[in-house]
Amino acid sequence: MRTNTKLLILGVTTTLSLATVACKDTFLDVPVTGQLAGVQLSSKAGIEGSLIAVYSILNGRGERLASFNNWVWGSIRGGDFNKGTDPGDFSSINALQRFETISTSDQVGQTWQRKYEGISRANTTLNLLKNAPSDMSAADKTRITAEARFLRGLYYFDLKRIYGDGAPYIDESVDYGTGIEKVANGVNLWPKIEADTKFAYDNLAETPPAVGRVNKWAAAAQLAKVYLYQKKYTEAKALFDLIITNGKTSNGKKYGLVPKYGDIFKASNDNNEESVFAIQAAANTGSVNNANPEFDLNFPYNTGPNGPGNCCGFNQPSFEYVNSFRTTANGLPLLDGTYNAATNAVKNDMGVLSKESFTPDAGNLDPRVDHTVGRRGIPYLDWQDHPGADWIRNQPNGGPYSPKKFTYYKSDVGSLQDNSSWTPGYTALNVPLIRFADVLLMAAECEIEVGSLTKALEYTNMVRKRAANPAGFVTKAGAPAAKYTIAEYPASVFASKASATAAVRFERRLELGDEGHRFFDLVRWGIAAQTINAYLQYEGAAARLPTTLGGATFTAGQDELLPVPQDQIDIQGKSILKQNPGY
C-alpha cells in the first residue's frame, strides 16, 4: 500500500510517496486526489495552466494576510488602519499592530508559506518549459518564461520587503532532495529580483494573451519600483519617463488617470486606463478564492440587508489617518502635522451611539477621504448613509470608521458579488498592485532626487487635479456630502527638495490609502520609527484607543522586518537559516 507524507521546507509543500509491499493489496494503491501526471503538465495546455497557477497565489488563496494587498503588513502596520472588530477575534493581529510580533506567530509563517508557494509554482513552470512539446513555439516559450520570472521576482519583492534577506533565494535549479534544504538565507535578494523583472521587461510584448496578465509596461513599472527601492533614481526615472509617455494597459489603453477617483474601485470598471498591474478577481466561479478572499472580514459589521458584507468589522481606518485629510482654506494639506491638533482633528462619533444626535464634521476635507473611509452620515457607496455605531462592532477597540475602497456596491449584488459562501463579502473587484497614480508619484520622487522639482510638481498635481474633480465628489441630496476643499500645489511648495519631498510623501498617503503601501514607504524613506511611534502615541491616548494601542512601541532596527518563521529555522537548522535582528 502507499501513503503520502507532506513536508514543508522553506514554505514549499512537497509530496513524497512512501511505498511498502502488501501481498495482492493493489486495490489500496490509490493515486492522490487531484494529482496530475507529468505528461499532462508537459503539454502546451498543461504548461499554460501551470503559469495560471502562479498568478492564482497573488491573493493568498484563503490566507488573508498573504495577499499582495498587504492590508495588515502595509496599511495596519503603517498606521493608516487598525485591526478593528473585537479584540478576541483573529487575535494574532493584535500583536502585529502593536509591534509585539514573535517568530512563532501563525500569520508570520502563513504569509511566508504562501509567498514561497508562488515561487515554487513559478519554478515548476520554468522546469516544465525545459521539456516543452514540439507544438509550443519559441515565442510562447519566451513569453511564458518572462511571465513566470516576473511573478517569481514579484513574490521575492514582497518577501524582501517583509522579511528582508532573511528569506532565502530558491530558483528552478533546486528542489527537495537536490539541495533546497541546504539553501541558506542572508544573500542580497535585490540582484535576483532585478534580473527576473528585467528579463520580463525585455521579453514581454505590449499585448499579452489575456487581459490582466503582465505585459511589457507592467514589468517596466515593477522594475522601476525595484530601482526606486534601491535608491537607483536615475535608472528608475528613465523607465518612468518611458512608461508615462508610452505605457499601455494589458487591454491596449494608454495609461491615464480615471477621471473620477471613486471609479477606480468599481468592479464594473476593472482593467481601466489606470490599471498597470492588478490581482484579477471574479465572482460566481464556483470558488470564492477567486473573489477577493483576503477581504471577507473587512466589511461593516451587522449591516443586514441594507449594507454590504454583514461581517466582521476588521481593518478600520485610524483617527490619525482620517485627520490627515484635513485641508487649509486654500485646499492644501497640513504638511506640518497639525492635522492632529484638537482644532484640526476631524470630528468623529467615538462613544456616540447612532440613535443619539451627532453633528457632522464641518471643516475643510480632501474629497478622497469619503471614497476611502466610511464616516457616519456620509453615503456609503449606493447603500445608505453610514449609520455610525450600528455598523461598528466594537468602537472602543477599533474606532468609529469603516473601510470603503474594496467594498462592493448594492448594484453589484448577484453579479459582481458572490453569495455562495458563509458571507456575501466576496467580489469581482480587481485589487490594484500598481496603478498609474502610483507611477506618477513614484516618478515625482525620482524627479526630486535628480533635481527636477518642476517635473515633480507637474506629476503630483496631475494626481491632485483628478482628486479635485467635483464630478467625482461623494454627494448627498445633490450636493457635496462634506466641505470638500482641495487645490493643486503652488510652485512655492516645490521650491526646495525638503518641501517637495514632504508633499509627495504625504500625497502618496492620501492617494493610496488602504492599498498596502504605507508601511513599506515609511521603511524605505527611513522614517518608520519616528512616524509610527508618533501614530501609536496619538492613537493610544485615552481619548482614542488606549486599550488597543496604548503603550505600543516600534523598535528601530527590528520592526522594519518580520522574523523568519521559527518552524522554518527548526526544520532547516540554525546553521542554514539565521533569524532576523531583534527576534
Side-chain angles (χ1 to χ4, degrees):
M1 63 182 290
R2 178 170 299 173
T3 60
N4 285 282
T5 301
K6 287 188 180 289
L7 296 181
L8 191 66
I9 296 178
L10 295 176
V12 180
T13 305
T14 303
T15 302
L16 304 177
S17 293
L18 307 176
T20 58
V21 177
C23 217
K24 297 183 180 181
D25 283 349
T26 54
F27 68 94
L28 295 175
D29 194 2
V30 180
V32 178
T33 303
Q35 190 176 53
L36 293 173
V39 66
Q40 292 172 289
L41 286 174
S42 297
S43 68
K44 183 177 179 180
I47 293 173
E48 289 280 12
S50 174
L51 177 63
I52 295 302
V54 189
Y55 280 95
S56 74
I57 298 294
L58 291 172
N59 72 5
R61 304 305 289 179
E63 293 295 350
R64 299 176 181 92
L65 274 61
S67 167
F68 271 79
N69 169 265
N70 285 310
W71 61 274
V72 171
W73 309 127
S75 298
I76 288 178
R77 281 166 61 91
D80 287 350
F81 284 64
N82 65 67
K83 190 201 81 170
T85 195
D86 273 334
D89 207 355
F90 209 160
S91 59
S92 58
I93 302 179
N94 296 340
L96 302 179
Q97 70 179 351
R98 291 180 56 84
F99 297 94
E100 296 169 351
T101 311
I102 57 176
S103 62
T104 55
S105 164
D106 55 349
Q107 300 309 319
V108 169
Q110 288 165 8
T111 296
W112 172 286
Q113 191 277 331
R114 275 294 188 267
K115 302 299 180 185
Y116 275 109
E117 177 66 27
I119 290 164
S120 175
R121 294 184 181 200
N123 287 338
T124 295
T125 300
L126 292 170
N127 276 320
L128 288 170
L129 284 167
K130 294 175 182 177
N131 298 299
S134 58
D135 63 341
M136 178 174 281
S137 68
D140 275 343
K141 291 178 188 177
T142 300
R143 187 257 309 164
I144 292 172
T145 300
E147 286 188 69
R149 289 190 64 178
F150 170 85
L151 291 166
R152 182 173 68 183
L154 190 63
Y155 285 110
Y156 274 118
F157 177 75
D158 238 24
L159 282 168
K160 172 71 175 181
R161 297 194 300 173
I162 297 172
Y163 302 93
D165 292 331
Y169 183 79
I170 311 295
D171 63 16
E172 71 275 21
S173 68
V174 291
D175 200 346
Y176 180 76
T178 63
I180 193 173
E181 67 277 9
K182 298 179 181 178
V183 178
N185 59 4
V187 176
N188 183 10
L189 292 175
W190 283 129
K192 308 289 189 181
I193 296 166
E194 195 174 303
D196 274 349
T197 314
K198 189 174 188 305
F199 183 90
Y201 170 58
D202 289 340
N203 288 279
L204 288 172
E206 284 191 343
T207 305
V211 174
R213 288 202 193 185
V214 59
N215 71 352
K216 182 179 189 67
W217 294 112
Q222 178 61 21
L223 180 57
K225 188 173 182 178
V226 169
Y227 288 148
L228 178 63
Y229 267 70
Q230 298 177 81
K231 296 181 169 48
K232 294 182 177 180
Y233 300 114
T234 301
E235 294 92 332
K237 171 183 157 44
L239 274 178
F240 283 132
D241 287 346
L242 290 173
I243 295 162
I244 292 168
T245 303
N246 302 312
K248 293 180 180 178
T249 66
S250 64
N251 52 358
K253 300 173 184 176
K254 187 180 187 312
Y255 286 149
L257 297 173
V258 172
K260 299 177 183 178
Y261 183 77
D263 286 352
I264 302 167
F265 309 101
K266 286 184 176 179
S268 57
N269 195 37
D270 276 347
N271 298 311
N272 52 61
E273 64 267 36
E274 194 160 340
S275 182
V276 177
F277 188 66
I279 302 174
Q280 300 292 306
N284 306 304
T285 64
S287 172
V288 293
N289 276 338
N290 299 321
N292 295 339
E294 63 266 53
F295 299 139
D296 62 351
L297 305 179
N298 301 359
F299 291 89
Y301 181 71
N302 199 31
T303 58
N306 296 314
N310 206 36
C311 183
C312 292
F314 283 79
N315 199 41
Q316 290 184 242
S318 69
F319 295 96
E320 208 266 350
Y321 178 61
V322 175
N323 291 345
S324 71
F325 286 91
R326 178 69 80 213
T327 61
T328 68
N330 294 325
L332 299 178
L334 300 169
L335 297 178
D336 60 0
T338 57
Y339 54 81
N340 278 333
T343 54
N344 289 327
V346 176
K347 183 175 178 58
N348 64 73
D349 62 348
M350 187 64 175
V352 179
L353 299 178
S354 295
K355 63 186 178 182
E356 298 173 351
S357 62
F358 172 68
T359 303
D361 187 85
N364 302 320
L365 290 171
D366 185 309
R368 287 171 288 191
V369 66
D370 288 325
H371 292 294
T372 309
V373 177
R375 298 192 298 136
R376 183 178 175 183
I378 303 295
Y380 195 88
L381 306 181
D382 60 349
W383 291 95
Q384 61 169 301
D385 288 356
H386 191 292
D390 286 349
W391 277 13
I392 303 297
R393 188 171 189 177
N394 187 327
Q395 282 205 153
N397 187 66
Y401 305 117
S402 299
K404 201 170 187 179
K405 273 187 178 177
F406 296 103
T407 303
Y408 60 95
Y409 285 70
K410 187 176 184 178
S411 56
D412 292 338
V413 172
S415 57
L416 298 172
Q417 168 270 346
D418 197 311
N419 279 309
S420 66
S421 190
W422 67 277
T423 174
Y426 298 97
T427 81
L429 175 62
N430 287 353
V431 179
L433 302 188
I434 303 178
R435 55 185 178 88
F436 192 56
D438 184 13
V439 167
L440 289 172
L441 293 173
M442 289 191 289
E445 283 191 56
C446 294
E447 296 292 349
I448 291 169
E449 293 297 333
V450 302
S452 182
L453 300 182
T454 301
K455 199 67 176 177
L457 173 65
E458 177 189 337
Y459 289 155
T460 308
N461 275 342
M462 288 171 66
V463 175
R464 288 189 69 79
K465 184 176 181 179
R466 188 265 299 277
N469 177 10
F473 291 175
V474 173
T475 60
K476 184 174 181 178
K483 190 179 179 183
Y484 302 132
T485 310
I486 182 172
E488 296 175 37
Y489 284 109
S492 59
V493 176
F494 280 69
S496 71
K497 180 179 179 180
S499 178
T501 297
V504 171
R505 289 178 176 180
F506 204 80
E507 196 64 27
R508 284 187 65 80
R509 186 182 199 192
L510 299 173
E511 175 70 20
L512 301 170
D514 203 22
E515 297 178 50
H517 300 281
R518 179 64 172 171
F519 179 80
F520 304 117
D521 282 345
L522 294 174
V523 171
R524 69 182 177 86
W525 293 330
I527 60 173
Q530 66 216 62
T531 305
I532 293 172
N533 278 324
Y535 153 75
L536 291 171
Q537 184 175 10
Y538 179 81
E539 210 77 4
R544 286 168 286 277
L545 305 179
T547 303
T548 306
L549 292 173
T553 302
F554 180 99
T555 301
Q558 170 184 296
D559 291 324
E560 292 86 353
L561 300 175
L562 294 183
V564 176
Q566 187 59 46
D567 62 351
Q568 296 297 314
I569 295 175
D570 293 341
I571 292 170
Q572 302 295 94
K574 293 180 180 179
S575 63
I576 301 294
L577 293 186
K578 308 295 184 184
Q579 186 54 271
N580 280 330
Y583 294 102

